[in-house]
Amino acid sequence: MNPAPATCIRIERLGKTYRGQPTPALQAIDLAVAEGEFVALVGASGCGKSTLLRLIAGLEAPSEGQVCLDGRPVTGPGCDRAVVFQDYSLYPWLNVLENVRFCRSLRAHTRDASESEVNSAVERAYALLELMGLDEVRTRYPNQLSGGMRQRVAIARALMAQPRVLLMDEPFGALDAQTREVMHELILRLFEIERSTIVFVTHDVEEAVYLADRVVVLAPQPGRIDSIHPVALPPPGARHPDLKLAADFLHQKKIVLDRIRATSGVQRDLDKLSRLAELSRRDRRPDTKPTAGNH
Amino acid sequence: MAADPLWSIRGTLGGARYLAIAGVGFASLLGGWWLLAGSGLVDPVFLPTPTAVARRLLGWYADGSLFADIKISIGRVLGGFGLAVLMAVPLGIYIGSFRPVQAFFEPLMEFARYLPAVAFVPLVLLWVGIGEGAKITLIWIGTFFQMVLMVSDNIRQVPMAQIEAAQTLGANRGEVVSLVVFKSALPGIVDTLRVTLGWAWTYLVVAELVAANSGIGYAILRAQRFLQTDKIFVGILLIGLLGLLMDQGFRLLHRRAFPWLHLR
């Protein structure tokens, strides 16, 4: 273990304002992601977590500040930062194997590729299919697959490009709870084997705490970093779904949840609700105003 | 039956039964025609009997001009329609992909598609003469503008996630357009072509009615002069049949070329 791993992504004074909107979507974001680190971005809706991911990917241009990958500023999308989207990103006219190998049809990957590199790419495609449990469905088309399978194909396709960073934008947001659980184990295993750097956007705090090394809580209006929570859990390989029920895990989850509530106005809404409940309880008390049927 | 899938909303119907019901539909049209024409209530000049129409078809075939007329009409449709496809598909791809191209062409096309193609006939005759060029030009005017707009719409339907996924895998702009946008929109484009081919047939008849001395449309016009209602019927039915055949051809192509859309 290297005591001080190199910085992979450095975000400096990053801001994004959309035209015609008074408050910036993101303001003064400073964040460094280390080589081989798993960072989760969470926060209330509208906090700009997806925008931040898209800025790292180069799919949006910053209004101020910059994102640097290995010291070089990001100017647009590129194969060193592959993105896994929530859905609809697979190519329905290609089968599973062809989808995974899609990047091999691009000039960026075939230019100056030696024969041995091409061979190793073929091997890598098959290895990824096996790792993701897609071996038996490799000739199927995406619309013949379940939602969980489709996301596995999307992840394998992104990894095929051998990106420096894997960016995931609510990749399991459309999956049911059971499939999600399986995907979590898969991601941890993958993270252990591939040792990739991952930035992961999710609205599921449990998912964030279970998977990530650090959880970054963003606050809305304007989108900004509220707090960063290093997660103290066993290493990825030693995690087990039962961990999600352990007291220590729940405690860490609660800290993050409390921050999101405090920044999102949910707390205000909850307070309002409890005051309302209080009022109706008082109304129902027989000594103040007895009503029929409530005794 | 408590829940008959046949009559439930968007219920199911097997292929054989579907065909049978469709057959009954055609048979009742033919039967109704037969009854009406055979009853003597209607003058045969207005409504010839099916047998008279069939006899006329055989006569047309016997004098050797039937296939020549069909061939020349199909040739004109394919010429005008093919020209429109060659121009509309690339232009539609650019309009659907790049905003400045869209800003330049789309309002123009929206305007042009409301220009009545039929009213262009005298101009077309003036510009390109009365040869084959006139028919092809008229069919082109009738289909091109609509086709461009529909193809650019097909292109815009491609999910942004598919495009962005390619960009983050290292695809350059040309590769995104040729490997993702075009491939993704292709089934929709083929459907667009299928629909616009129907309009090409309409404008063929217009062209042949006003400026031709051959083809099915011209045959209909000549039959009108001699009050050969049965021949008019043959011509109309022939065009309907040819259109239906080409439409089915496109459907078959769709199934063959895009197998992933027809799974399950």
Side-chain angles (χ1 to χ4, degrees), chain A residues 54 59 78-79 81-83 85 88-93 102 106-109 141 143-144 157, chain B residues 159 161-172 175 179-180 183-184 259-261 263-264:
Chain A
R54 292 174 61 81
L59 293 168
C79 57
R81 287 152 289 129
V83 181
F85 297 89
Y88 306 113
S89 75
L90 289 182
Y91 301 131
W93 61 94
F102 177 77
L106 304 174
R107 276 234 333 249
H109 296 270
Y141 287 103
N143 62 1
Q144 293 176 294
R157 183 180 64 176
Chain B
Q162 288 183 4
I163 295 169
E164 290 182 338
Q167 287 172 334
T168 65
L169 289 169
N172 61 34
E175 286 171 331
L179 295 177
V180 176
K183 292 265 178 72
S184 187
W260 69 90
L261 287 176
L263 299 163
R264 272 189 291 186

Side-chain angles (χ1 to χ4, degrees), chain B residues 158-234:
Chain B
V158 174
M160 205 56 207
Q162 288 183 4
I163 295 169
E164 290 182 338
Q167 287 172 334
T168 65
L169 289 169
N172 61 34
R173 216 168 39 167
E175 286 171 331
V176 171
V177 172
S178 64
L179 295 177
V180 176
V181 173
F182 178 65
K183 292 265 178 72
S184 187
L186 198 54
I189 293 176
V190 169
D191 260 334
T192 292
L193 300 191
R194 186 173 64 80
V195 172
T196 42
L197 181 64
W199 302 338
W201 277 101
T202 310
Y203 289 106
L204 165 87
V205 177
V206 171
E208 286 185 344
L209 282 179
V210 293
N213 46 24
S214 58
I216 305 173
Y218 172 70
I220 292 174
L221 183 77
R222 208 178 33 183
Q224 181 205 352
R225 283 188 202 137
F226 299 103
L227 224 61
Q228 296 169 321
T229 326
D230 43 9
K231 188 150 184 187
I232 296 178
F233 266 68
V234 176

Side-chain angles (χ1 to χ4, degrees), chain B residues 87-98:
Chain B
M87 295 166 75
V89 171
L91 187 58
I93 291 172
Y94 276 96
I95 291 176
S97 302
F98 302 109

Side-chain angles (χ1 to χ4, degrees), chain B:
Chain B
M1 249 185 274
D4 190 347
L6 213 55
W7 290 107
S8 63
I9 292 169
R10 297 193 186 170
T12 50
L13 185 61
R17 279 216 262 180
Y18 184 94
L19 277 181
I21 295 177
V24 171
F26 269 104
S28 33
L29 176 71
L30 196 70
W33 175 16
W34 213 309
L35 278 177
L36 199 60
S39 67
L41 291 171
V42 188
D43 190 324
V45 173
F46 296 141
L47 188 69
T49 59
T51 31
V53 170
R55 221 177 297 121
R56 179 65 75 172
L57 177 67
L58 286 177
W60 197 351
Y61 172 72
D63 75 22
S65 60
L66 176 67
F67 283 112
D69 281 331
I70 289 178
K71 219 158 74 184
I72 196 136
S73 286
I74 290 180
R76 285 166 183 160
V77 164
L78 292 184
F81 177 77
L83 195 66
V85 171
L86 284 180
M87 295 166 75
V89 171
L91 187 58
I93 291 172
Y94 276 96
I95 291 176
S97 302
F98 302 109
R99 290 283 175 202
V101 185
Q102 182 187 356
F104 186 91
F105 281 108
E106 204 168 56
L108 280 178
M109 297 293 147
E110 290 283 4
F111 167 69
R113 86 189 168 106
Y114 282 108
L115 302 178
V118 179
F120 271 86
V121 169
L123 281 178
V124 168
L125 294 181
L126 191 66
W127 291 336
V128 289
I130 53 163
E132 288 308 298
K135 292 93 177 169
I136 287 174
T137 308
L138 195 70
I139 292 171
W140 180 86
I141 291 175
T143 50
F144 170 73
F145 302 105
Q146 307 269 6
M147 206 190 282
V148 169
L149 292 171
M150 287 168 78
V151 169
S152 63
D153 228 29
N154 296 140
I155 295 288
R156 273 193 293 267
Q157 300 272 316
V158 174
M160 205 56 207
Q162 288 183 4
I163 295 169
E164 290 182 338
Q167 287 172 334
T168 65
L169 289 169
N172 61 34
R173 216 168 39 167
E175 286 171 331
V176 171
V177 172
S178 64
L179 295 177
V180 176
V181 173
F182 178 65
K183 292 265 178 72
S184 187
L186 198 54
I189 293 176
V190 169
D191 260 334
T192 292
L193 300 191
R194 186 173 64 80
V195 172
T196 42
L197 181 64
W199 302 338
W201 277 101
T202 310
Y203 289 106
L204 165 87
V205 177
V206 171
E208 286 185 344
L209 282 179
V210 293
N213 46 24
S214 58
I216 305 173
Y218 172 70
I220 292 174
L221 183 77
R222 208 178 33 183
Q224 181 205 352
R225 283 188 202 137
F226 299 103
L227 224 61
Q228 296 169 321
T229 326
D230 43 9
K231 188 150 184 187
I232 296 178
F233 266 68
V234 176
I236 290 173
L237 291 177
L238 264 181
I239 289 170
L241 199 66
L242 289 172
L244 185 69
L245 280 177
M246 287 199 175
D247 194 84
Q248 290 300 314
F250 261 113
R251 282 178 198 275
L252 189 69
L253 173 76
H254 208 278
R255 259 197 297 279
R256 283 283 157 80
F258 315 119
W260 69 90
L261 287 176
H262 302 277
L263 299 163
R264 272 189 291 186

